Amino acid sequence: DAAGRGTLTMRVAQVLRDPFPEPRFVCVQALPKNDRAELAVDLLTELGVDEIVPWQASRSVVRWSGERGERSRAKWQTVAREASKQARRLTVPVVSPLASTRDVADRLREAEGAYVLHETATTPVLALRPPLGEVVLVIGPEGGVAPDELAAFEAAGAVAVVMGPTVLRTSTAGAAAMTMIRTVAELVHWGDEE
């Protein structure tokens, strides 16, 4: 209008570009309860995950369905957007639609690197050599990944991995494991460049 209200004038001071990440990290996060979901999404975002896939594990206490599911997913996306600002990321991770165990197995089958965090695994996260391309990490619910889910994921090509002797909550396990996997990947791929 004539008084200048309702308008915005901007000047672009700087254009930043962020190359497409290699590897591209995807975290399949079983639905945590209460505010732990927001903590998980916040931490994963701050640590540079490129995509977060909410997973309806058989042992998840929380259930997403209908409108509640869409509201919950929108909340996760809002948390990811805000955490991206805090971390000064140029990109916001995608929060995918709710996945079933079959959806997760399909995603693992297509990934260049596929891992499931599991307390009975014998392969340490720090022993991995994550490939370039898409790396998918599955984090189970508080009750753990059920045996049939683990079998489906391993049949899809995933490797069960363990971080150490303690079992973390689902809200922090993804962040801890993703930090380890990213660090190993950076060491492996920086070493390849020399």
Side-chain angles (χ1 to χ4, degrees), residues 158-194:
V159 175
V161 295
V162 66
M163 285 189 294
T166 60
V167 176
L168 301 179
R169 289 184 178 273
T170 189
S171 55
T172 54
M178 192 55 71
T179 298
M180 295 170 102
I181 290 174
R182 282 185 62 100
T183 301
V184 170
E186 288 174 9
L187 291 172
V188 165
H189 299 299
W190 282 346
D192 289 346
E193 291 175 4
E194 296 175 1

Side-chain angles (χ1 to χ4, degrees), residues 18 24 41 44-46 48-52 74 76-96:
D18 198 12
R24 181 176 186 275
V41 172
L44 290 168
T45 300
E46 289 181 25
V49 169
D50 300 293
E51 183 179 352
I52 302 168
W76 282 32
Q77 192 65 68
T78 299
V79 171
R81 186 177 59 250
E82 294 305 314
S84 293
K85 290 177 189 177
Q86 170 65 33
R88 296 187 179 122
R89 288 183 59 168
L90 297 180
T91 59
V92 177
V94 173
V95 175
S96 297

Side-chain angles (χ1 to χ4, degrees), residues 31-34 37 55-57 59-64 68 72:
L31 301 179
K33 55 186 172 182
N34 304 327
W55 169 41
Q56 187 70 68
R59 294 179 176 169
S60 291
V61 173
V62 173
R63 297 286 172 201
W64 283 11
R68 177 183 178 173
S72 297

Side-chain angles (χ1 to χ4, degrees), residues 4 6-10:
T7 63
L8 174 67
T9 303
M10 294 181 10

